[in-house]
Amino acid sequence: AVVSTQSTGKELDLGGVVESYCLLEVPKVPELKGRGVEVGCEKVDTSAIPYKDKAREKARLKRLQSGPVQEAMVSKGGKVESWSKKKEQKLKRVKRKTKKQLIKSLKENESLL
């Protein structure tokens, strides 16, 4: 039976919830940001747990050896997205806008003469 409760997150013992689900680490979600959830069990090095699938384990070891990758930059496909492309696009947009404004101001000045 599913029990429906209405309570705020402040009242909930998140450390107890994490332990009850036998989670090895607290999930990184915005709702828990800044809450300081403490888990009563011993710390487990999750990076030392191998995959059962040999191909995935090989890829994991390669990823660990290459160094840490920022999680925000990894897309669903596992490829690192290039943030510089977006910056370049924004820079192009700003250049075009300033160019249009310059041309517009020059035309207005010519019409005044």
Side-chain angles (χ1 to χ4, degrees):
V2 177
V3 178
S4 174
T5 60
Q6 292 182 349
S7 63
T8 62
K10 294 177 183 177
E11 299 171 4
L12 190 61
D13 176 27
L14 293 176
V17 172
V18 168
E19 284 183 34
S20 67
Y21 281 103
C22 300
L23 299 177
L24 297 176
E25 57 186 26
V26 180
K28 295 176 185 172
V29 292
E31 292 85 6
L32 299 179
K33 196 171 193 179
R35 293 276 308 264
V37 179
E38 291 295 324
V39 182
C41 63
E42 61 187 63
K43 291 285 183 180
V44 177
D45 185 17
T46 56
S47 64
I49 300 172
Y51 282 106
K52 194 172 185 179
D53 183 23
K54 291 181 182 182
R56 288 185 75 184
E57 177 62 16
K58 189 175 181 180
R60 182 189 74 88
L61 291 174
K62 184 178 178 184
R63 192 172 54 245
L64 284 175
Q65 289 175 354
S66 67
V69 177
Q70 292 181 351
E71 291 180 20
M73 294 180 69
V74 177
S75 67
K76 289 182 181 179
K79 297 179 183 177
V80 177
E81 294 178 2
S82 175
W83 292 91
S84 61
K85 287 183 181 178
K86 290 190 178 194
K87 289 180 182 179
E88 290 172 5
Q89 289 173 351
K90 186 175 182 180
L91 184 61
K92 284 181 183 180
R93 244 183 287 135
V94 170
K95 283 183 180 179
R96 274 185 277 164
K97 187 175 181 179
T98 54
K99 188 176 179 181
K100 283 182 181 180
Q101 289 174 348
L102 180 64
I103 291 171
K104 185 177 179 180
S105 66
L106 288 174
K107 286 183 180 179
E108 287 176 0
N109 289 341
E110 285 178 5
S111 65
L112 293 175
L113 293 175

